[in-house]
Amino acid sequence: AQSVTQLDSHVSVSEGTPVLLRCNYSSSYSPSLFWYVQHPNKGLQLLLKYTSAATLVKGINGFEAEFKKSETSFHLTKPSAHMSDAAEYFCVVSGKGGSYIPTFGRGTSLIVHP
Amino acid sequence: DVKVTQSSRYLVKRTGEKVFLECVQDMDHENMFWYRQDPGLGLRLIYFSYDVKMKEKGDIPEGYSVSREKKERFSLILESASTNQTSMYLCATCDLSTDTQYFGPGTRLTVL
């Protein structure tokens, strides 16, 4: 069994300040973990993924996430927010094997103020 | 690049109509998925398919069916559309070698 919890439904930051989007997971397997971004009226785009290599994962557009097994967390960060980062962000956990079925968090809406 | 296309970006139908949503991928992925997305609820899995003619129910299959006659095409069918099926529908494939999903742009369905 697996589950994922995004701890904030909305996060509001000012442009140029750091971003932190929090995600906790549970999994019976060695998980793969993902962050996806969805801009308004668009499909989901992969930001980054963790698949048991380096625990600090770098993604596109300056985002990164750290896998912490002891805390079962996979928080997404960015040092300096841009207006273009305003979007919905989804944390996803999956197991491995042929019957791959990922589990999505409910999403965090990132609002960036000028 | 993987490309996942969905037949319509916007669709308006009337209650009781039969609705077909089509999804086509160009990367020979075995696994394909249909989700609906509603505000505050995230993505909820309706059905997925792991091979031609093979399908499994997801979390919310009621009122929906699917068809996968060819590997590249996965169709979602609303047998008799109802207003509570007004939603954004997202199709996805999965590359099993990397566990990565690829999403289509979505179809925003309104049922009147």
PDB file of all heavy atoms in Angstrom, chain A residues 36-74:
ATOM      1  N   TYR A  36       5.275  16.743 -10.192  1.00  0.00           N
ATOM      2  CA  TYR A  36       4.779  17.231 -11.470  1.00  0.00           C
ATOM      3  C   TYR A  36       4.231  18.638 -11.274  1.00  0.00           C
ATOM      4  O   TYR A  36       3.729  18.980 -10.200  1.00  0.00           O
ATOM      5  CB  TYR A  36       3.644  16.349 -12.001  1.00  0.00           C
ATOM      6  CG  TYR A  36       4.081  15.012 -12.536  1.00  0.00           C
ATOM      7  CD1 TYR A  36       4.262  13.921 -11.694  1.00  0.00           C
ATOM      8  CD2 TYR A  36       4.300  14.826 -13.907  1.00  0.00           C
ATOM      9  CE1 TYR A  36       4.651  12.694 -12.193  1.00  0.00           C
ATOM     10  CE2 TYR A  36       4.701  13.596 -14.408  1.00  0.00           C
ATOM     11  CZ  TYR A  36       4.867  12.547 -13.544  1.00  0.00           C
ATOM     12  OH  TYR A  36       5.257  11.324 -14.048  1.00  0.00           O
ATOM     13  N   VAL A  37       4.291  19.418 -12.336  1.00  0.00           N
ATOM     14  CA  VAL A  37       3.731  20.770 -12.318  1.00  0.00           C
ATOM     15  C   VAL A  37       2.652  20.870 -13.389  1.00  0.00           C
ATOM     16  O   VAL A  37       2.771  20.271 -14.464  1.00  0.00           O
ATOM     17  CB  VAL A  37       4.826  21.835 -12.543  1.00  0.00           C
ATOM     18  CG1 VAL A  37       5.512  21.672 -13.893  1.00  0.00           C
ATOM     19  CG2 VAL A  37       4.253  23.240 -12.415  1.00  0.00           C
ATOM     20  N   GLN A  38       1.612  21.620 -13.068  1.00  0.00           N
ATOM     21  CA  GLN A  38       0.533  21.850 -14.023  1.00  0.00           C
ATOM     22  C   GLN A  38       0.230  23.341 -14.082  1.00  0.00           C
ATOM     23  O   GLN A  38      -0.293  23.911 -13.128  1.00  0.00           O
ATOM     24  CB  GLN A  38      -0.722  21.080 -13.622  1.00  0.00           C
ATOM     25  CG  GLN A  38      -1.843  21.189 -14.648  1.00  0.00           C
ATOM     26  CD  GLN A  38      -3.101  20.463 -14.193  1.00  0.00           C
ATOM     27  OE1 GLN A  38      -3.398  20.404 -13.007  1.00  0.00           O
ATOM     28  NE2 GLN A  38      -3.840  19.915 -15.147  1.00  0.00           N
ATOM     29  N   HIS A  39       0.534  23.938 -15.203  1.00  0.00           N
ATOM     30  CA  HIS A  39       0.174  25.338 -15.418  1.00  0.00           C
ATOM     31  C   HIS A  39      -1.284  25.401 -15.865  1.00  0.00           C
ATOM     32  O   HIS A  39      -1.826  24.416 -16.385  1.00  0.00           O
ATOM     33  CB  HIS A  39       1.112  25.969 -16.432  1.00  0.00           C
ATOM     34  CG  HIS A  39       2.501  26.130 -15.902  1.00  0.00           C
ATOM     35  ND1 HIS A  39       2.861  27.178 -15.081  1.00  0.00           N
ATOM     36  CD2 HIS A  39       3.617  25.372 -16.023  1.00  0.00           C
ATOM     37  CE1 HIS A  39       4.128  27.064 -14.740  1.00  0.00           C
ATOM     38  NE2 HIS A  39       4.606  25.963 -15.296  1.00  0.00           N
ATOM     39  N   PRO A  40      -1.927  26.535 -15.689  1.00  0.00           N
ATOM     40  CA  PRO A  40      -3.358  26.654 -15.997  1.00  0.00           C
ATOM     41  C   PRO A  40      -3.708  26.145 -17.385  1.00  0.00           C
ATOM     42  O   PRO A  40      -3.046  26.474 -18.374  1.00  0.00           O
ATOM     43  CB  PRO A  40      -3.613  28.152 -15.856  1.00  0.00           C
ATOM     44  CG  PRO A  40      -2.600  28.614 -14.866  1.00  0.00           C
ATOM     45  CD  PRO A  40      -1.371  27.780 -15.132  1.00  0.00           C
ATOM     46  N   ASN A  41      -4.730  25.296 -17.426  1.00  0.00           N
ATOM     47  CA  ASN A  41      -5.259  24.738 -18.682  1.00  0.00           C
ATOM     48  C   ASN A  41      -4.233  23.915 -19.460  1.00  0.00           C
ATOM     49  O   ASN A  41      -4.309  23.816 -20.695  1.00  0.00           O
ATOM     50  CB  ASN A  41      -5.808  25.855 -19.574  1.00  0.00           C
ATOM     51  CG  ASN A  41      -6.959  26.565 -18.909  1.00  0.00           C
ATOM     52  OD1 ASN A  41      -7.880  25.933 -18.390  1.00  0.00           O
ATOM     53  ND2 ASN A  41      -6.915  27.885 -18.878  1.00  0.00           N
ATOM     54  N   LYS A  42      -3.284  23.353 -18.742  1.00  0.00           N
ATOM     55  CA  LYS A  42      -2.291  22.487 -19.389  1.00  0.00           C
ATOM     56  C   LYS A  42      -2.279  21.120 -18.725  1.00  0.00           C
ATOM     57  O   LYS A  42      -2.814  20.940 -17.625  1.00  0.00           O
ATOM     58  CB  LYS A  42      -0.891  23.112 -19.267  1.00  0.00           C
ATOM     59  CG  LYS A  42      -0.725  24.452 -19.964  1.00  0.00           C
ATOM     60  CD  LYS A  42      -0.656  24.278 -21.455  1.00  0.00           C
ATOM     61  CE  LYS A  42      -0.546  25.589 -22.196  1.00  0.00           C
ATOM     62  NZ  LYS A  42       0.759  26.207 -22.075  1.00  0.00           N
ATOM     63  N   GLY A  43      -1.624  20.157 -19.398  1.00  0.00           N
ATOM     64  CA  GLY A  43      -1.418  18.855 -18.778  1.00  0.00           C
ATOM     65  C   GLY A  43      -0.283  18.909 -17.767  1.00  0.00           C
ATOM     66  O   GLY A  43       0.318  19.953 -17.549  1.00  0.00           O
ATOM     67  N   LEU A  44       0.002  17.780 -17.136  1.00  0.00           N
ATOM     68  CA  LEU A  44       1.055  17.729 -16.131  1.00  0.00           C
ATOM     69  C   LEU A  44       2.414  17.506 -16.793  1.00  0.00           C
ATOM     70  O   LEU A  44       2.533  16.728 -17.735  1.00  0.00           O
ATOM     71  CB  LEU A  44       0.785  16.587 -15.140  1.00  0.00           C
ATOM     72  CG  LEU A  44      -0.147  16.894 -13.990  1.00  0.00           C
ATOM     73  CD1 LEU A  44      -1.576  17.046 -14.450  1.00  0.00           C
ATOM     74  CD2 LEU A  44      -0.044  15.817 -12.918  1.00  0.00           C
ATOM     75  N   GLN A  45       3.408  18.171 -16.238  1.00  0.00           N
ATOM     76  CA  GLN A  45       4.771  18.058 -16.755  1.00  0.00           C
ATOM     77  C   GLN A  45       5.678  17.590 -15.629  1.00  0.00           C
ATOM     78  O   GLN A  45       5.594  18.103 -14.507  1.00  0.00           O
ATOM     79  CB  GLN A  45       5.238  19.417 -17.274  1.00  0.00           C
ATOM     80  CG  GLN A  45       6.651  19.423 -17.810  1.00  0.00           C
ATOM     81  CD  GLN A  45       7.136  20.824 -18.160  1.00  0.00           C
ATOM     82  OE1 GLN A  45       6.520  21.823 -17.776  1.00  0.00           O
ATOM     83  NE2 GLN A  45       8.237  20.900 -18.878  1.00  0.00           N
ATOM     84  N   LEU A  46       6.573  16.640 -15.918  1.00  0.00           N
ATOM     85  CA  LEU A  46       7.491  16.147 -14.904  1.00  0.00           C
ATOM     86  C   LEU A  46       8.508  17.224 -14.532  1.00  0.00           C
ATOM     87  O   LEU A  46       9.180  17.788 -15.397  1.00  0.00           O
ATOM     88  CB  LEU A  46       8.213  14.910 -15.428  1.00  0.00           C
ATOM     89  CG  LEU A  46       9.217  14.271 -14.479  1.00  0.00           C
ATOM     90  CD1 LEU A  46       8.496  13.669 -13.266  1.00  0.00           C
ATOM     91  CD2 LEU A  46      10.030  13.199 -15.197  1.00  0.00           C
ATOM     92  N   LEU A  47       8.610  17.500 -13.212  1.00  0.00           N
ATOM     93  CA  LEU A  47       9.614  18.428 -12.698  1.00  0.00           C
ATOM     94  C   LEU A  47      10.887  17.689 -12.332  1.00  0.00           C
ATOM     95  O   LEU A  47      11.986  18.120 -12.687  1.00  0.00           O
ATOM     96  CB  LEU A  47       9.097  19.112 -11.430  1.00  0.00           C
ATOM     97  CG  LEU A  47       8.493  20.491 -11.487  1.00  0.00           C
ATOM     98  CD1 LEU A  47       8.183  20.951 -10.070  1.00  0.00           C
ATOM     99  CD2 LEU A  47       9.414  21.480 -12.178  1.00  0.00           C
ATOM    100  N   LEU A  48      10.730  16.613 -11.575  1.00  0.00           N
ATOM    101  CA  LEU A  48      11.876  15.825 -11.154  1.00  0.00           C
ATOM    102  C   LEU A  48      11.393  14.502 -10.588  1.00  0.00           C
ATOM    103  O   LEU A  48      10.203  14.336 -10.314  1.00  0.00           O
ATOM    104  CB  LEU A  48      12.697  16.574 -10.101  1.00  0.00           C
ATOM    105  CG  LEU A  48      11.985  17.165  -8.881  1.00  0.00           C
ATOM    106  CD1 LEU A  48      11.672  16.118  -7.844  1.00  0.00           C
ATOM    107  CD2 LEU A  48      12.811  18.293  -8.270  1.00  0.00           C
ATOM    108  N   LYS A  49      12.361  13.571 -10.416  1.00  0.00           N
ATOM    109  CA  LYS A  49      11.997  12.261  -9.859  1.00  0.00           C
ATOM    110  C   LYS A  49      13.151  11.691  -9.064  1.00  0.00           C
ATOM    111  O   LYS A  49      14.326  11.951  -9.339  1.00  0.00           O
ATOM    112  CB  LYS A  49      11.603  11.296 -10.971  1.00  0.00           C
ATOM    113  CG  LYS A  49      12.717  10.971 -11.949  1.00  0.00           C
ATOM    114  CD  LYS A  49      12.225  10.032 -13.026  1.00  0.00           C
ATOM    115  CE  LYS A  49      13.336   9.736 -14.024  1.00  0.00           C
ATOM    116  NZ  LYS A  49      12.879   8.888 -15.138  1.00  0.00           N
ATOM    117  N   TYR A  50      12.795  10.906  -8.072  1.00  0.00           N
ATOM    118  CA  TYR A  50      13.747  10.157  -7.267  1.00  0.00           C
ATOM    119  C   TYR A  50      13.501   8.681  -7.501  1.00  0.00           C
ATOM    120  O   TYR A  50      12.379   8.202  -7.374  1.00  0.00           O
ATOM    121  CB  TYR A  50      13.562  10.471  -5.774  1.00  0.00           C
ATOM    122  CG  TYR A  50      14.258   9.473  -4.903  1.00  0.00           C
ATOM    123  CD1 TYR A  50      15.633   9.548  -4.684  1.00  0.00           C
ATOM    124  CD2 TYR A  50      13.561   8.415  -4.319  1.00  0.00           C
ATOM    125  CE1 TYR A  50      16.281   8.610  -3.908  1.00  0.00           C
ATOM    126  CE2 TYR A  50      14.195   7.476  -3.540  1.00  0.00           C
ATOM    127  CZ  TYR A  50      15.554   7.575  -3.346  1.00  0.00           C
ATOM    128  OH  TYR A  50      16.195   6.639  -2.580  1.00  0.00           O
ATOM    129  N   THR A  51      14.581   7.955  -7.836  1.00  0.00           N
ATOM    130  CA  THR A  51      14.437   6.518  -8.072  1.00  0.00           C
ATOM    131  C   THR A  51      15.609   5.769  -7.444  1.00  0.00           C
ATOM    132  O   THR A  51      16.209   4.912  -8.071  1.00  0.00           O
ATOM    133  CB  THR A  51      14.358   6.207  -9.569  1.00  0.00           C
ATOM    134  OG1 THR A  51      15.491   6.797 -10.222  1.00  0.00           O
ATOM    135  CG2 THR A  51      13.092   6.732 -10.174  1.00  0.00           C
ATOM    136  N   SER A  52      15.943   6.065  -6.204  1.00  0.00           N
ATOM    137  CA  SER A  52      16.921   5.361  -5.366  1.00  0.00           C
ATOM    138  C   SER A  52      18.369   5.619  -5.753  1.00  0.00           C
ATOM    139  O   SER A  52      19.233   4.843  -5.380  1.00  0.00           O
ATOM    140  CB  SER A  52      16.657   3.855  -5.339  1.00  0.00           C
ATOM    141  OG  SER A  52      17.070   3.246  -6.541  1.00  0.00           O
ATOM    142  N   ALA A  53      18.644   6.673  -6.457  1.00  0.00           N
ATOM    143  CA  ALA A  53      20.030   7.079  -6.692  1.00  0.00           C
ATOM    144  C   ALA A  53      20.346   8.182  -5.656  1.00  0.00           C
ATOM    145  O   ALA A  53      20.159   7.986  -4.484  1.00  0.00           O
ATOM    146  CB  ALA A  53      20.221   7.545  -8.122  1.00  0.00           C
ATOM    147  N   ALA A  54      20.798   9.328  -6.092  1.00  0.00           N
ATOM    148  CA  ALA A  54      21.119  10.419  -5.169  1.00  0.00           C
ATOM    149  C   ALA A  54      19.872  10.900  -4.444  1.00  0.00           C
ATOM    150  O   ALA A  54      18.792  10.986  -5.030  1.00  0.00           O
ATOM    151  CB  ALA A  54      21.745  11.579  -5.932  1.00  0.00           C
ATOM    152  N   THR A  55      19.994  11.197  -3.164  1.00  0.00           N
ATOM    153  CA  THR A  55      18.826  11.629  -2.391  1.00  0.00           C
ATOM    154  C   THR A  55      18.429  13.071  -2.687  1.00  0.00           C
ATOM    155  O   THR A  55      17.284  13.446  -2.478  1.00  0.00           O
ATOM    156  CB  THR A  55      19.088  11.491  -0.885  1.00  0.00           C
ATOM    157  OG1 THR A  55      20.261  12.237  -0.557  1.00  0.00           O
ATOM    158  CG2 THR A  55      19.298  10.033  -0.511  1.00  0.00           C
ATOM    159  N   LEU A  56      19.374  13.879  -3.164  1.00  0.00           N
ATOM    160  CA  LEU A  56      19.040  15.239  -3.580  1.00  0.00           C
ATOM    161  C   LEU A  56      18.878  15.235  -5.093  1.00  0.00           C
ATOM    162  O   LEU A  56      19.812  14.935  -5.826  1.00  0.00           O
ATOM    163  CB  LEU A  56      20.134  16.222  -3.158  1.00  0.00           C
ATOM    164  CG  LEU A  56      19.856  17.695  -3.473  1.00  0.00           C
ATOM    165  CD1 LEU A  56      18.611  18.177  -2.735  1.00  0.00           C
ATOM    166  CD2 LEU A  56      21.066  18.550  -3.123  1.00  0.00           C
ATOM    167  N   VAL A  57      17.689  15.563  -5.517  1.00  0.00           N
ATOM    168  CA  VAL A  57      17.355  15.462  -6.936  1.00  0.00           C
ATOM    169  C   VAL A  57      17.146  16.856  -7.504  1.00  0.00           C
ATOM    170  O   VAL A  57      16.401  17.650  -6.931  1.00  0.00           O
ATOM    171  CB  VAL A  57      16.067  14.640  -7.123  1.00  0.00           C
ATOM    172  CG1 VAL A  57      15.744  14.492  -8.602  1.00  0.00           C
ATOM    173  CG2 VAL A  57      16.196  13.276  -6.470  1.00  0.00           C
ATOM    174  N   LYS A  58      17.788  17.127  -8.603  1.00  0.00           N
ATOM    175  CA  LYS A  58      17.602  18.421  -9.274  1.00  0.00           C
ATOM    176  C   LYS A  58      16.677  18.241 -10.458  1.00  0.00           C
ATOM    177  O   LYS A  58      16.757  17.248 -11.195  1.00  0.00           O
ATOM    178  CB  LYS A  58      18.942  18.980  -9.724  1.00  0.00           C
ATOM    179  CG  LYS A  58      19.868  19.335  -8.561  1.00  0.00           C
ATOM    180  CD  LYS A  58      21.089  20.077  -9.009  1.00  0.00           C
ATOM    181  CE  LYS A  58      22.044  20.320  -7.843  1.00  0.00           C
ATOM    182  NZ  LYS A  58      21.426  21.191  -6.816  1.00  0.00           N
ATOM    183  N   GLY A  59      15.783  19.230 -10.632  1.00  0.00           N
ATOM    184  CA  GLY A  59      14.835  19.155 -11.723  1.00  0.00           C
ATOM    185  C   GLY A  59      14.943  20.354 -12.642  1.00  0.00           C
ATOM    186  O   GLY A  59      15.942  21.069 -12.646  1.00  0.00           O
ATOM    187  N   ILE A  60      13.878  20.572 -13.383  1.00  0.00           N
ATOM    188  CA  ILE A  60      13.880  21.686 -14.321  1.00  0.00           C
ATOM    189  C   ILE A  60      13.518  22.987 -13.615  1.00  0.00           C
ATOM    190  O   ILE A  60      12.950  22.971 -12.516  1.00  0.00           O
ATOM    191  CB  ILE A  60      12.908  21.427 -15.488  1.00  0.00           C
ATOM    192  CG1 ILE A  60      11.473  21.265 -14.978  1.00  0.00           C
ATOM    193  CG2 ILE A  60      13.335  20.195 -16.274  1.00  0.00           C
ATOM    194  CD1 ILE A  60      10.437  21.189 -16.075  1.00  0.00           C
ATOM    195  N   ASN A  61      13.877  24.099 -14.241  1.00  0.00           N
ATOM    196  CA  ASN A  61      13.485  25.438 -13.765  1.00  0.00           C
ATOM    197  C   ASN A  61      13.988  25.749 -12.360  1.00  0.00           C
ATOM    198  O   ASN A  61      13.375  26.551 -11.646  1.00  0.00           O
ATOM    199  CB  ASN A  61      11.961  25.603 -13.805  1.00  0.00           C
ATOM    200  CG  ASN A  61      11.401  25.442 -15.211  1.00  0.00           C
ATOM    201  OD1 ASN A  61      12.096  25.673 -16.196  1.00  0.00           O
ATOM    202  ND2 ASN A  61      10.160  25.022 -15.304  1.00  0.00           N
ATOM    203  N   GLY A  62      15.116  25.161 -11.953  1.00  0.00           N
ATOM    204  CA  GLY A  62      15.727  25.503 -10.681  1.00  0.00           C
ATOM    205  C   GLY A  62      15.145  24.805  -9.463  1.00  0.00           C
ATOM    206  O   GLY A  62      15.540  25.089  -8.336  1.00  0.00           O
ATOM    207  N   PHE A  63      14.197  23.902  -9.659  1.00  0.00           N
ATOM    208  CA  PHE A  63      13.618  23.174  -8.538  1.00  0.00           C
ATOM    209  C   PHE A  63      14.502  21.996  -8.135  1.00  0.00           C
ATOM    210  O   PHE A  63      15.206  21.424  -8.963  1.00  0.00           O
ATOM    211  CB  PHE A  63      12.227  22.650  -8.907  1.00  0.00           C
ATOM    212  CG  PHE A  63      11.162  23.702  -8.901  1.00  0.00           C
ATOM    213  CD1 PHE A  63      10.837  24.385 -10.062  1.00  0.00           C
ATOM    214  CD2 PHE A  63      10.491  24.009  -7.725  1.00  0.00           C
ATOM    215  CE1 PHE A  63       9.854  25.363 -10.054  1.00  0.00           C
ATOM    216  CE2 PHE A  63       9.503  24.978  -7.706  1.00  0.00           C
ATOM    217  CZ  PHE A  63       9.186  25.661  -8.876  1.00  0.00           C
ATOM    218  N   GLU A  64      14.443  21.653  -6.855  1.00  0.00           N
ATOM    219  CA  GLU A  64      15.084  20.446  -6.383  1.00  0.00           C
ATOM    220  C   GLU A  64      14.284  19.859  -5.228  1.00  0.00           C
ATOM    221  O   GLU A  64      13.449  20.554  -4.621  1.00  0.00           O
ATOM    222  CB  GLU A  64      16.531  20.675  -5.982  1.00  0.00           C
ATOM    223  CG  GLU A  64      16.759  21.645  -4.859  1.00  0.00           C
ATOM    224  CD  GLU A  64      18.252  21.827  -4.585  1.00  0.00           C
ATOM    225  OE1 GLU A  64      19.058  21.865  -5.539  1.00  0.00           O
ATOM    226  OE2 GLU A  64      18.601  21.918  -3.398  1.00  0.00           O
ATOM    227  N   ALA A  65      14.532  18.590  -4.936  1.00  0.00           N
ATOM    228  CA  ALA A  65      13.822  17.916  -3.853  1.00  0.00           C
ATOM    229  C   ALA A  65      14.782  16.956  -3.179  1.00  0.00           C
ATOM    230  O   ALA A  65      15.683  16.407  -3.816  1.00  0.00           O
ATOM    231  CB  ALA A  65      12.603  17.175  -4.380  1.00  0.00           C
ATOM    232  N   GLU A  66      14.577  16.767  -1.877  1.00  0.00           N
ATOM    233  CA  GLU A  66      15.433  15.869  -1.117  1.00  0.00           C
ATOM    234  C   GLU A  66      14.621  14.720  -0.554  1.00  0.00           C
ATOM    235  O   GLU A  66      13.609  14.933   0.131  1.00  0.00           O
ATOM    236  CB  GLU A  66      16.129  16.603   0.021  1.00  0.00           C
ATOM    237  CG  GLU A  66      17.164  15.730   0.728  1.00  0.00           C
ATOM    238  CD  GLU A  66      18.009  16.493   1.719  1.00  0.00           C
ATOM    239  OE1 GLU A  66      17.720  17.688   1.967  1.00  0.00           O
ATOM    240  OE2 GLU A  66      18.951  15.890   2.255  1.00  0.00           O
ATOM    241  N   PHE A  67      15.062  13.505  -0.848  1.00  0.00           N
ATOM    242  CA  PHE A  67      14.426  12.309  -0.318  1.00  0.00           C
ATOM    243  C   PHE A  67      14.998  12.041   1.067  1.00  0.00           C
ATOM    244  O   PHE A  67      16.210  11.871   1.232  1.00  0.00           O
ATOM    245  CB  PHE A  67      14.699  11.119  -1.234  1.00  0.00           C
ATOM    246  CG  PHE A  67      14.244   9.800  -0.695  1.00  0.00           C
ATOM    247  CD1 PHE A  67      12.886   9.509  -0.604  1.00  0.00           C
ATOM    248  CD2 PHE A  67      15.151   8.839  -0.278  1.00  0.00           C
ATOM    249  CE1 PHE A  67      12.445   8.288  -0.123  1.00  0.00           C
ATOM    250  CE2 PHE A  67      14.725   7.615   0.205  1.00  0.00           C
ATOM    251  CZ  PHE A  67      13.362   7.337   0.287  1.00  0.00           C
ATOM    252  N   LYS A  68      14.110  12.014   2.082  1.00  0.00           N
ATOM    253  CA  LYS A  68      14.535  11.721   3.449  1.00  0.00           C
ATOM    254  C   LYS A  68      13.747  10.513   3.934  1.00  0.00           C
ATOM    255  O   LYS A  68      12.586  10.627   4.345  1.00  0.00           O
ATOM    256  CB  LYS A  68      14.303  12.926   4.359  1.00  0.00           C
ATOM    257  CG  LYS A  68      15.207  14.107   4.050  1.00  0.00           C
ATOM    258  CD  LYS A  68      15.055  15.217   5.086  1.00  0.00           C
ATOM    259  CE  LYS A  68      16.027  16.338   4.830  1.00  0.00           C
ATOM    260  NZ  LYS A  68      15.904  17.430   5.829  1.00  0.00           N
ATOM    261  N   LYS A  69      14.418   9.378   3.915  1.00  0.00           N
ATOM    262  CA  LYS A  69      13.732   8.126   4.252  1.00  0.00           C
ATOM    263  C   LYS A  69      13.280   8.115   5.706  1.00  0.00           C
ATOM    264  O   LYS A  69      12.167   7.668   6.023  1.00  0.00           O
ATOM    265  CB  LYS A  69      14.657   6.939   3.989  1.00  0.00           C
ATOM    266  CG  LYS A  69      13.993   5.594   4.137  1.00  0.00           C
ATOM    267  CD  LYS A  69      14.930   4.482   3.739  1.00  0.00           C
ATOM    268  CE  LYS A  69      14.237   3.126   3.868  1.00  0.00           C
ATOM    269  NZ  LYS A  69      15.138   2.014   3.469  1.00  0.00           N
ATOM    270  N   SER A  70      14.104   8.646   6.607  1.00  0.00           N
ATOM    271  CA  SER A  70      13.775   8.623   8.033  1.00  0.00           C
ATOM    272  C   SER A  70      12.541   9.470   8.341  1.00  0.00           C
ATOM    273  O   SER A  70      11.810   9.196   9.291  1.00  0.00           O
ATOM    274  CB  SER A  70      14.957   9.123   8.852  1.00  0.00           C
ATOM    275  OG  SER A  70      15.276  10.454   8.488  1.00  0.00           O
ATOM    276  N   GLU A  71      12.315  10.494   7.526  1.00  0.00           N
ATOM    277  CA  GLU A  71      11.165  11.379   7.732  1.00  0.00           C
ATOM    278  C   GLU A  71      10.039  11.072   6.733  1.00  0.00           C
ATOM    279  O   GLU A  71       9.003  11.744   6.775  1.00  0.00           O
ATOM    280  CB  GLU A  71      11.597  12.836   7.579  1.00  0.00           C
ATOM    281  CG  GLU A  71      12.647  13.269   8.588  1.00  0.00           C
ATOM    282  CD  GLU A  71      13.131  14.685   8.357  1.00  0.00           C
ATOM    283  OE1 GLU A  71      12.533  15.425   7.547  1.00  0.00           O
ATOM    284  OE2 GLU A  71      14.144  15.058   9.002  1.00  0.00           O
ATOM    285  N   THR A  72      10.240  10.109   5.882  1.00  0.00           N
ATOM    286  CA  THR A  72       9.311   9.781   4.773  1.00  0.00           C
ATOM    287  C   THR A  72       8.815  11.049   4.089  1.00  0.00           C
ATOM    288  O   THR A  72       7.614  11.254   3.896  1.00  0.00           O
ATOM    289  CB  THR A  72       8.114   8.921   5.245  1.00  0.00           C
ATOM    290  OG1 THR A  72       7.373   9.634   6.241  1.00  0.00           O
ATOM    291  CG2 THR A  72       8.593   7.602   5.808  1.00  0.00           C
ATOM    292  N   SER A  73       9.782  11.901   3.730  1.00  0.00           N
ATOM    293  CA  SER A  73       9.420  13.166   3.093  1.00  0.00           C
ATOM    294  C   SER A  73      10.141  13.341   1.760  1.00  0.00           C
ATOM    295  O   SER A  73      11.196  12.726   1.514  1.00  0.00           O
ATOM    296  CB  SER A  73       9.751  14.342   4.014  1.00  0.00           C
ATOM    297  OG  SER A  73      11.152  14.495   4.135  1.00  0.00           O
ATOM    298  N   PHE A  74       9.570  14.179   0.940  1.00  0.00           N
ATOM    299  CA  PHE A  74      10.151  14.497  -0.381  1.00  0.00           C
ATOM    300  C   PHE A  74       9.714  15.918  -0.713  1.00  0.00           C
ATOM    301  O   PHE A  74       8.926  16.160  -1.610  1.00  0.00           O
ATOM    302  CB  PHE A  74       9.672  13.483  -1.425  1.00  0.00           C
ATOM    303  CG  PHE A  74      10.392  13.561  -2.747  1.00  0.00           C
ATOM    304  CD1 PHE A  74      11.768  13.404  -2.829  1.00  0.00           C
ATOM    305  CD2 PHE A  74       9.674  13.746  -3.930  1.00  0.00           C
ATOM    306  CE1 PHE A  74      12.418  13.457  -4.045  1.00  0.00           C
ATOM    307  CE2 PHE A  74      10.323  13.805  -5.158  1.00  0.00           C
ATOM    308  CZ  PHE A  74      11.689  13.659  -5.211  1.00  0.00           C
TER     309      PHE A  74
END
